[in-house]
């Protein structure tokens, strides 16, 4: 059955599960009783023509990133769930440039209803170019499968571990083994994939844009995202979503283009987004959280799925931070502030894994490490790889620096790394090593590297003679006590 467009476009009042005191999904303001000025919206959207956003995806390159909140927020409910900060390697993937909008949802939904799919909810939106909402986690997962099948790709979600029964109907809590993670079809991002994409390669920033240091509230205003109080022209509407990609530099309040450094829009605000993972408040303290391509807890635990990114409902802007993990929402939850976006495999053959980080390294000394290069493509494929870029600090040596005809049967190849540490004391050096498939230079992986040198001991040692010269009695007592 196709959706009733009149019902779908109407104002729908949906009860929202409130996380008490968080302000992420606060009680809707007094504007809830105001009707939507449709003519105003049409006039405004004509002045701010929205591009064709359907299906455009952005490549998020392979590499490690620091996951979690980098600043002290002791005493807040969310701080322990976002720490400790830990490194995670994520394989390259594609992510939707925009949140799934109404026209995109309808196209796949209607196809799916004619091809054996059933959904719990038909989805709603405030306009064809606004994000779809009132869809639960099960709806999103089945929609991903339908989009895959519609485009002739491999569906990702199955109802059995042998991956023979495609998930098309029902409300089923799928397990990790019921997902074809190497399939080329669409799926929800893992929590780690979502945060890596949201950060856009930036380190220790509160939001998807330049926002390092200070407190999170120092770095946000109404020109940067759609949140409660951003004062965009849709603010007074009952459900004040903005068109996806609205913050393109022509927005009101006026501002710069708010795509993050990967080119993704609305990674903070508009609608909060479903991800794959079950919610575990202690997850970051567990070893599995740092596994390569971690997929979250293997069991249901709390029974909640993680939500990411904040929404138009976020009255306190800590809810829009890259690190925030919103709990208390079961897979069957729906709400007018909750949507999603998709990811899929990049289809590349090159896969690089490893960690290159050294602490308390003496200046001028040599440190060593290694990483692996693997062909994860088709069984008969071969790749030629080469290390093409590395940091300018220190002196780097790779053995080998390249390899030829690597096939999946060969397994991982290991590259040994040797670095002569820089001469500067009390410094932290960071950068990336880039490994390229020389047959396709657009296919590459990066490994984040870091090296820290200790404080200058000569300066510290020089303080002792000065101290004892000023307080000779202390030196005499120490000598007497130790029998020197």
């Amino acid at each position: 059955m196709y959706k009733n467009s009149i019902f779908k476009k109407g104002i729908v009042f949906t009860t929202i599960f409130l996380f008490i005191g968080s302000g992420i999904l606060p009680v809707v303001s007094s504007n809830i009783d105001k009707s939507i000025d449709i003519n105003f919206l049409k006039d405004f959207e004509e002045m701010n023509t929205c591009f064709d956003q359907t299906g455009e995806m952005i490549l998020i390159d392979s590499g490690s990133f620091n996951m979690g909140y980098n600043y002290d927020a002791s005493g807040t409910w969310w701080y322990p769930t976002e720490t400790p900060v830990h490194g995670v390697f994520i394989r390259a993937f594609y992510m939707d440039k925009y949140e799934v909008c109404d026209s995109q949802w309808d196209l796949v939904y209607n196809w799916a209803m004619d091809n054996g799919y059933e959904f719990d909810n038909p989805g709603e939106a405030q306009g064809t170019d606004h994000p779809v909402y009132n869809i639960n986690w099960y709806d999103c997962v089945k929609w991903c499968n339908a989009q895959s099948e519609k485009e002739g790709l491999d569906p990702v979600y199955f109802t059995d571990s042998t991956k023979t029964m495609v998930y098309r109907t029902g409300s089923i809590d799928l397990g990790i083994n019921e997902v074809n993670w190497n399939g080329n079809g669409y799926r929800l991002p893992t929590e780690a994939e979502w945060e890596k994409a949201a950060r856009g390669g930036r380190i220790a920033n509160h939001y998807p844009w330049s926002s390092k240091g200070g407190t999170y509230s120092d770095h946000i205003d109404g020109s940067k995202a759609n949140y409660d109080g951003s004062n965009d022209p849709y603010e007074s509407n009952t459900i004040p979503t903005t068109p996806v990609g609205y913050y393109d530099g022509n927005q009101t309040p006026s501002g710069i283009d708010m795509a993050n450094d990967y080119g993704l829009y609305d990674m903070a605000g508009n609608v909060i987004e479903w991800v794959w993972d079950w919610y575990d408040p202690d997850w970051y303290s567990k070893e599995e959280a740092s596994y390569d391509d971690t997929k979250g807890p293997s069991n249901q635990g709390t029974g909640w799925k993680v939500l990411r990114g904040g929404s138009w409902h976020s009255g306190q802007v800590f809810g829009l931070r890259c690190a925030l993990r919103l709990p208390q929402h079961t897979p069957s939850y729906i709400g007018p502030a909750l949507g999603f976006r998709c990811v899929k495999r990049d289809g590349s053959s090159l896969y690089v894994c490893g960690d290159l980080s050294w602490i308390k390294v003496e200046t001028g000394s040599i440190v060593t490490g290694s990483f692996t290069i693997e062909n994860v493509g088709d069984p008969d494929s071969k790749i030629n790889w080469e290390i093409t870029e590395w940091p300018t600090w220190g002196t780097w040596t790779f053995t080998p620096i390249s390899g030829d005809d690597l096939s999946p049967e060969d397994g991982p190849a290991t590259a040994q790394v040797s670095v002569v540490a820089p001469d500067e004391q009390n410094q932290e050096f960071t950068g990336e090593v880039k490994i390229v498939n020389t047959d396709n230079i657009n296919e590459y992986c990066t490994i984040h590297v870091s090296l820290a040198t200790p404080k200058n001991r000569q300066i510290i040692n020089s303080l002792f003679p000065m101290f004892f010269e000023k307080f000779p009695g202390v030196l005499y007592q120490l000598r007497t006590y130790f029998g020197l």
Side-chain angles (χ1 to χ4, degrees):
M1 180 182 296
Y2 289 84
K3 289 186 287 185
N4 185 308
S5 60
I6 297 177
F7 170 78
K8 180 186 172 201
K9 307 303 178 185
I11 302 172
V12 176
F13 295 93
T14 304
T15 302
I16 301 175
F17 284 78
L18 300 178
F19 195 87
I20 299 176
S22 72
I24 300 170
L25 296 179
V27 177
V28 180
S29 68
S30 59
N31 291 327
I32 192 73
D33 295 324
K34 295 181 180 180
S35 61
I36 300 175
D37 189 341
I38 299 297
N39 290 329
F40 168 78
L41 285 182
K42 287 181 179 179
D43 291 343
F44 185 83
E45 290 176 3
E46 286 175 2
M47 291 186 294
N48 296 267
T49 304
C50 198
F51 29 77
D52 180 11
Q53 64 274 47
T54 303
E56 189 171 356
M57 305 191 88
I58 300 291
L59 177 64
I60 313 300
D61 58 345
S62 290
S64 298
F65 79 105
N66 292 329
M67 186 174 184
Y69 191 58
N70 296 84
Y71 302 92
D72 181 38
S74 302
T76 61
W77 67 264
W78 43 267
Y79 179 64
T81 73
E82 300 174 14
T83 54
V85 175
H86 54 288
V88 183
F89 176 88
I90 298 296
R91 182 180 171 184
F93 62 97
Y94 283 94
M95 175 176 265
D96 281 339
K97 185 174 183 178
Y98 311 102
E99 293 166 330
V100 173
C101 68
D102 183 59
S103 61
Q104 187 180 0
W105 169 269
D106 282 354
L107 190 66
V108 174
Y109 177 93
N110 292 332
W111 180 93
M113 295 298 285
D114 286 338
N115 287 274
Y117 280 83
E118 295 177 1
F119 296 87
D120 295 344
N121 305 281
E124 300 176 47
Q126 291 300 302
T128 58
D129 56 354
H130 286 242
V132 66
Y133 57 77
N134 277 350
I135 35 83
N136 64 29
W137 186 90
Y138 307 113
D139 294 326
C140 296
V141 167
K142 287 180 286 188
W143 188 92
C144 287
N145 267 359
Q147 186 181 26
S148 299
E149 291 198 281
K150 181 177 182 296
E151 296 183 10
L153 302 176
D154 301 327
V156 169
Y157 300 106
F158 296 82
T159 60
D160 61 321
S161 59
T162 61
K163 301 178 182 63
T164 56
M165 304 294 292
V166 177
Y167 181 34
R168 299 188 181 97
T169 63
S171 300
I172 303 173
D173 294 327
L174 305 180
I176 289 176
N177 293 331
E178 294 161 337
V179 182
N180 180 11
W181 297 100
N182 290 322
N184 61 6
Y186 298 93
R187 57 178 174 83
L188 290 180
T190 65
E191 190 176 6
E193 287 173 334
W194 190 97
E195 185 169 328
K196 183 179 192 298
R199 292 191 175 280
R202 294 180 180 270
I203 300 174
N205 282 257
H206 296 281
Y207 299 112
W209 52 84
S210 179
S211 49
K212 190 172 184 177
T215 65
Y216 56 82
S217 58
D218 296 333
H219 300 283
I220 191 166
D221 59 57
S223 71
K224 290 183 168 62
N226 179 20
Y227 56 92
D228 188 13
S230 57
N231 295 318
D232 60 73
Y234 303 85
E235 187 82 3
S236 62
N237 297 334
T238 306
I239 300 173
T241 58
T242 59
V244 298
Y246 166 77
Y247 288 86
D248 63 352
N250 299 305
Q251 67 273 12
T252 301
S254 61
I256 62 173
D257 192 323
M258 290 311 301
N260 76 355
D261 288 352
Y262 281 132
L264 303 169
Y265 286 88
D266 293 327
M267 296 302 285
N270 213 12
V271 289
I272 200 167
E273 300 173 14
W274 287 113
V275 296
W276 158 261
D277 305 41
W278 293 104
Y279 178 80
D280 177 351
D282 302 317
W283 178 243
Y284 286 13
S285 299
K286 298 179 180 179
E287 179 183 358
E288 300 96 315
S290 296
Y291 285 177
D292 292 348
D293 289 316
T294 179
K295 298 169 179 64
S298 58
N299 57 69
Q300 298 180 24
T302 60
W304 300 330
K305 288 290 185 179
V306 181
L307 303 182
R308 284 291 196 140
S311 73
W312 59 263
H313 224 313
S314 298
Q316 298 181 20
V317 293
F318 73 82
L320 278 66
R321 295 175 301 106
C322 294
L324 187 93
R325 313 172 64 222
L326 183 63
Q328 283 201 331
H329 292 78
T330 64
S332 60
Y333 174 82
I334 65 170
L338 176 55
F340 74 112
R341 72 178 77 213
C342 302
V343 300
K344 68 175 182 178
R345 265 198 60 189
D346 70 328
S348 65
S349 301
L350 183 66
Y351 180 71
V352 177
C353 180
D355 177 46
L356 297 176
S357 59
W358 303 277
I359 59 175
K360 296 183 179 179
V361 178
E362 293 292 340
T363 59
S365 63
I366 298 176
V367 293
T368 59
S370 66
F371 58 87
T372 59
I373 306 95
E374 188 174 359
N375 182 350
V376 294
D378 296 331
D380 58 348
S381 65
K382 293 183 181 296
I383 60 173
N384 301 312
W385 60 270
E386 182 179 1
I387 302 169
T388 60
E389 296 179 18
W390 51 87
T392 56
W393 49 262
T395 303
W396 291 73
T397 303
F398 300 95
T399 308
I401 198 170
S402 62
D404 297 327
D405 296 332
L406 182 65
S407 70
E409 286 185 355
D410 295 330
T414 300
Q416 301 292 339
V417 183
S418 174
V419 185
V420 179
D423 292 332
E424 293 89 344
Q425 291 276 8
N426 193 25
Q427 297 291 326
E428 181 178 358
F429 302 91
T430 61
E432 290 184 335
V433 172
K434 183 176 182 179
I435 305 92
V436 174
N437 178 352
T438 57
D439 299 318
N440 177 11
I441 61 174
N442 292 320
E443 182 179 340
Y444 64 90
C445 298
T446 59
I447 293 181
H448 178 74
V449 298
S450 63
L451 183 149
T453 55
K455 293 182 179 180
N456 191 323
R457 293 185 176 179
Q458 291 182 345
I459 296 176
I460 296 174
N461 292 340
S462 68
L463 295 176
F464 286 98
M466 294 171 59
F467 177 81
F468 292 129
E469 182 179 348
K470 188 173 182 65
F471 303 101
V474 175
L475 180 60
Y476 172 78
Q477 292 183 24
L478 288 174
R479 285 176 173 172
T480 301
Y481 183 79
F482 289 106
L484 300 176

